[in-house]
């Protein structure tokens, strides 16, 4: 909850995707495929943000190679997952 409240949208998106990847992700070719159908609108709803703002952030992350997206699927670079979720996390 602290991550969602205190950080900018980019950081909040990365934290959410890292959390979902840790719980539901399958590592493939250096990316964690989140094994849930996930639209920009659903991400926005989870973060209390607009779909438009989330789409801008997701586009920037995709251009940087941090995420890969396709219709209702999101993959997060495994290196980002490791940076955002501590190894001993129980969340």
């Amino acid at each position: 909850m602290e991550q969602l409240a205190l950080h900018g949208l980019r950081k909040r998106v990365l934290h959410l995707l890292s959390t979902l990847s840790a719980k539901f992700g399958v590592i493939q070719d250096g990316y964690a495929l989140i094994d849930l159908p996930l639209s920009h609108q659903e991400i926005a709803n989870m973060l209390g943000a607009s779909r438009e703002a989330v789409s801008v952030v997701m586009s920037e992350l995709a251009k940087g190679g941090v995420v890969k997206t396709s219709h209702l699927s999101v993959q997060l670079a495994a290196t980002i997952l490791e940076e955002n979720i501590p190894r001993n996390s129980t969340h």
Side-chain angles (χ1 to χ4, degrees):
M1 292 301 271
E2 178 182 318
Q3 290 290 325
L4 297 178
L6 299 178
H7 296 286
L9 186 57
R10 184 179 197 280
K11 180 77 172 176
R12 292 167 45 207
V13 167
L14 285 172
H15 181 76
L16 175 65
L17 295 179
S18 295
T19 301
L20 292 174
S21 293
K23 290 184 180 186
F24 305 106
V26 178
I27 303 293
Q28 297 176 339
D29 299 322
Y31 284 82
L33 171 63
I34 300 171
D35 195 19
L36 298 169
L38 199 58
S39 69
H40 289 186
Q41 183 65 58
E42 290 167 322
I43 293 169
N45 292 345
M46 289 181 213
L47 296 175
S50 71
R51 182 204 49 80
E52 293 83 0
V54 167
S55 292
V56 168
V57 169
M58 292 295 287
S59 177
E60 290 171 358
L61 293 173
K63 286 178 187 173
V66 175
V67 297
K68 291 182 182 179
T69 61
S70 62
H71 184 70
L72 296 180
S73 79
V74 176
Q75 297 178 55
L76 179 67
T79 55
I80 300 299
L81 174 61
E82 293 167 6
E83 291 172 10
N84 284 288
I85 300 294
R87 289 188 179 268
N88 296 328
S89 177
T90 56
H91 297 53

